[in-house]
């Protein structure tokens, strides 16, 4: 299924007042972040898109696909990457990929190879076709899910409802979906992910309250967010390996702060 | 009135699905009544009452098969709905043996199955799934997108005419699609004279009558002995 544009014609907030953002257009390759306090309506927007709301959901929004209302039962335009990090199927990775490709009628001789290559690009530890799904780590599972969504699910829109960290190179995973021409929508509370997108919608009381276009200055912040993430990650590794924190590590942290302030 | 049957394996999410559905129907000012058929104690009646405040009737089949019991009492539940001036009466049944289905010709039949039960489950459920107009698939949050797609395609393989709706019983995501289908369900004036879509098993043996002892001497009525051959 190939679509170029989704338009969301806005509805009302929880009190019935019109939304500040009147209309939202999402195009191929767009990454859009949904941000806002908990309960502010991020998941409802994802749900409106998934079910192609036509004024009949609590928000009253309408979702137009290439300008038209389409039948939600004959066409599925979304794939969802859920929070879940594990598979329940009892299969090896190769058979799993083949099974999925067959159900979509797109299996070719090198499907497994292609999906694995992409997954390995994302996962910390490498995956292979003969590994059992149940034995994959959370990060490996998630990498396989993203690569499978990019290459096998032909849905043009990928919805990601993030409650917490995904445990893989997430910014890279999302870029990858975007390069494959997907529209990617991410509901998240994570500042690094928020800045990965060119655009973000801020939710308030159930409404799309503000559409913010990211810019160069913001992107410069991203660099430091990533640096902070890396520092935290190295502390995590170190603590999990049984190390203690001491004067040295504290000094390193203070110096890091000094460096960042200096720039 | 619309009369709708809902069936599915134990704990597949029937009650939670109905709660999300009925909440949306109530928002549209529709009057909904629920009948719940079970063979054991069930908390479902209380749950519908507490979460939705709608009229509920619970029937316990006790020592008879819940599917037989359901058919025997369908008219009674229909009349309960009429008495409450319901626009829609929904029956949640506890089909257990997968041999039959409560679906009635001319009334919408919904089957609820969950993703976690395994991708081969759609092939194992039989008439409950194959006679349904709508198949609701729950617990998608517990599996991957790929597993959801394979499960859905297996459902549509055994019942190509069904509308498949993915619905998360915890969050209610997907309930809008189910509501759209339910709003299109046919209206009927009476159940009397309507036909089941699938016959019920002819299980009239001594055990149906309460026999508990094992052995040919105790077996009477409709008895089928298996042909014991190694596979
Ligand atoms: N994660 C998840 N759990 C679900 C979902 N739907 C249902 N459940 C779980 O499944 C349990 C059973 O749901 P019910 O709605 O009671 O199932 P039921 O089919 O009505 O069960 P019986 O009437 O007892 O046969 C619930 O307590 C939930 O924990 C879902 O979409 N996702
Ligand atoms: N515009 C609206 N009109 C009516 N109800 C709304 C609206 N927006 C959201 N709601 C309702 O408010 C509740 C919370 O919304 P939602 O789950 O989308 O929040 P969220 O931003 O995803 O929160 P979290 O960050 O905790 O996941 C839901 O029950 C949703 O249906
Ligand atoms: Mg949410
Ligand atoms: Mg129940």
């Amino acid at each position: 299924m190939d679509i170029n544009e989704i338009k969301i014609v806005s509805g009302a907030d929880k009190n019935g007042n019109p939304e500040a953002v009147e209309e939202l257009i999402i195009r191929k390759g767009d990454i859009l972040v949904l941000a806002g306090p908990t309960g502010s309506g991020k998941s409802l927007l994802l749900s409106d898109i998934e079910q192609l709301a036509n004024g009949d959901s609590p928000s009253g929004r309408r979702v137009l696909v290439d300008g038209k209302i389409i039948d939600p039962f004959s066409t599925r335009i979304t794939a969802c990457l859920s929070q879940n990090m594990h598979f329940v199927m009892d299969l090896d990775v190769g058979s799993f990929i083949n099974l999925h490709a067959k159900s979509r009628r797109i299996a070719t001789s090198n499907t497994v190879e292609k999906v694995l290559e992409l997954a390995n690009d994302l996962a910390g530890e490498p995956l292979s076709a003969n590994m059992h799904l149940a034995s994959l780590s959370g990060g490996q599972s998630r990498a396989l899910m993203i690569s499978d969504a990019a290459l096998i699910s032909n849905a043009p829109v990928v919805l990601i409802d993030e409650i917490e960290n995904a445990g893989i190179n997430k910014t890279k995973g999302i870029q990858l979906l975007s390069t494959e021409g997907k529209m990617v929508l991410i509901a998240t509370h994570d500042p690094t992910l928020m800045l990965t997108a060119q655009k973000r919608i801020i939710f308030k009381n159930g409404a799309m309250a503000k559409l913010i276009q990211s810019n160069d200055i913001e992107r410069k912040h991203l660099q430091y967010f990533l640096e902070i993430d890396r520092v935290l990650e190295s502390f995590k590794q170190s603590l999990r390996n049984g190390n203690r924190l001491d004067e040295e590590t504290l000094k390193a942290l203070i110096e890091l702060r000094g460096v960042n302030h200096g720039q | 009135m619309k009369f709708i049957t809902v069936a599915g394996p134990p704990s597949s999410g029937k009650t939670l699905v109905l709660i999300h559905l009925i909440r949306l129907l109530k928002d549209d000012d529709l009057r909904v009544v629920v009948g719940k058929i079970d063979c054991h104690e069930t908390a479902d009646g209380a749950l519908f009452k507490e979460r939705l405040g709608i009229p509920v009737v619970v029937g316990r089949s006790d020592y008879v098969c819940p599917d037989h019991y359901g058919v025997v009492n369908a008219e009674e539940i229909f009349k309960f709905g009429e008495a409450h001036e319901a626009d829609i009466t929904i029956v949640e049944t506890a089909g257990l043996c997968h041999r039959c289905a409560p679906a009635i010709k001319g009334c919408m039949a919904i089957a609820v199955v969950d993703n976690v039960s395994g991708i081969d489950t759609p092939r194992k459920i039989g008439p409950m799934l194959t006679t349904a107009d709508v198949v609701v698939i729950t617990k998608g949050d517990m599996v991957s997108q790929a597993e959801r797609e394979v499960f859905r395609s297996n459902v549509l393989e055994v019942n190509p005419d069904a509308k498949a709706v993915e619905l998360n019983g915890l969050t209610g995501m997907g309930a809008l699609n189910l509501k759209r289908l339910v709003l299109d369900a046919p209206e009927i004036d009476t159940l009397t004279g309507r036909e089941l879509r699938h016959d019920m098993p002819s299980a009239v043996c001594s055990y149906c009558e309460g026999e508990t002892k094992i052995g040919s001497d105790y077996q009477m009525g409709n008895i089928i002995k298996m042909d014991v051959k190694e596979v």
Side-chain angles (χ1 to χ4, degrees), chain A residues 37-44 46 161-163 187-189, chain B residues 171:
Chain A
T38 115
S40 58
K42 304 180 290 295
S43 297
L44 184 63
L46 295 180
D161 207 343
E162 281 288 337
I163 301 156
T188 184
H189 296 284
Chain B
T171 64

Side-chain angles (χ1 to χ4, degrees), chain B residues 226-231:
Chain B
M226 64 192 277
D227 190 9
V228 183
K229 253 192 259 155
E230 200 181 323
V231 186

Side-chain angles (χ1 to χ4, degrees), chain B residues 205-213:
Chain B
C205 67
S206 43
Y207 297 100
C208 303
E209 302 282 346
E211 181 59 79
T212 53
K213 289 208 184 76

Side-chain angles (χ1 to χ4, degrees), chain B residues 14-15 36 44 92:
Chain B
K14 300 178 290 296
T15 303
K36 162 79 195 192
D44 282 359
E92 178 185 333

Side-chain angles (χ1 to χ4, degrees), chain A residues 51 56 80 84 88-89 100, chain B residues 142 145 147-149 180:
Chain A
Q51 300 179 79
D56 51 1
C80 297
N84 139 358
V88 297
M89 264 186 212
H100 186 204
Chain B
M142 298 177 74
Q145 173 70 24
E147 288 165 303
R148 280 193 293 277
E149 286 177 14
R180 289 165 171 162

Side-chain angles (χ1 to χ4, degrees), chain A residues 15-68:
Chain A
N15 305 332
N17 303 314
E19 297 184 80
V21 177
E22 283 171 16
E23 130 184 331
L24 179 65
I25 292 178
I26 310 157
R27 297 198 177 79
K28 256 185 151 145
D30 276 358
I31 303 173
L32 183 73
V33 154
L34 319 182
T38 115
S40 58
K42 304 180 290 295
S43 297
L44 184 63
L45 181 73
L46 295 180
S47 164
D48 284 345
I49 294 173
E50 140 126 309
Q51 300 179 79
L52 299 167
N54 185 14
D56 51 1
S57 82
S59 65
R61 294 185 186 111
R62 289 191 305 135
V63 178
L64 305 180
V65 177
D66 285 335
K68 291 186 297 280

